[in-house]
């Protein structure tokens, strides 16, 4: 149980450090846009029996929840919100 608590704190710390580094980079580079990161963490204990697929699904769900809490992409200029197929073409 102690390792579980330490891991939770480590995941939270790592997430916060990533977000801080992106914020610093955004202020220093003078771009006309900002970069951001969305993170999803799956928690489990010693007695949990999740498959890797289940853990990845939980982390993926948490990442999309993190994305939903952030400002909408609709605030960006039109050239940054083109349909996905144009972006990868």
């Amino acid at each position: 149980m102690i390792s579980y608590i330490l891991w939770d704190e480590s995941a939270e710390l790592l997430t916060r450090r990533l977000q801080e580094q992106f914020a610093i980079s955004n202020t220093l580079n003078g771009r006309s846009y900002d970069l951001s990161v969305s993170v999803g963490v799956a928690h489990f204990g010693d007695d949990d029996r999740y498959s890797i697929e289940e853990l990845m699904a939980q982390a993926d769900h948490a990442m999309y929840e993190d994305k939903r809490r952030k400002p909408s992409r609709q605030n960006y200029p039109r050239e940054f919100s083109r349909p996905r197929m144009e972006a990868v073409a």
Side-chain angles (χ1 to χ4, degrees), residues 31-48:
R31 294 181 298 260
S32 60
Y33 57 89
D34 287 338
L35 299 175
S36 67
V37 61
S38 295
V39 177
V41 176
H43 301 277
F44 66 97
D46 295 337
D47 296 331
D48 293 334

Side-chain angles (χ1 to χ4, degrees), residues 57-72:
Q58 288 178 23
D60 195 48
H61 178 75
M63 179 193 65
Y64 281 104
E65 286 299 316
D66 188 34
K67 285 181 179 289
R68 280 187 200 76
R69 287 189 292 268
K70 294 181 179 174
S72 171

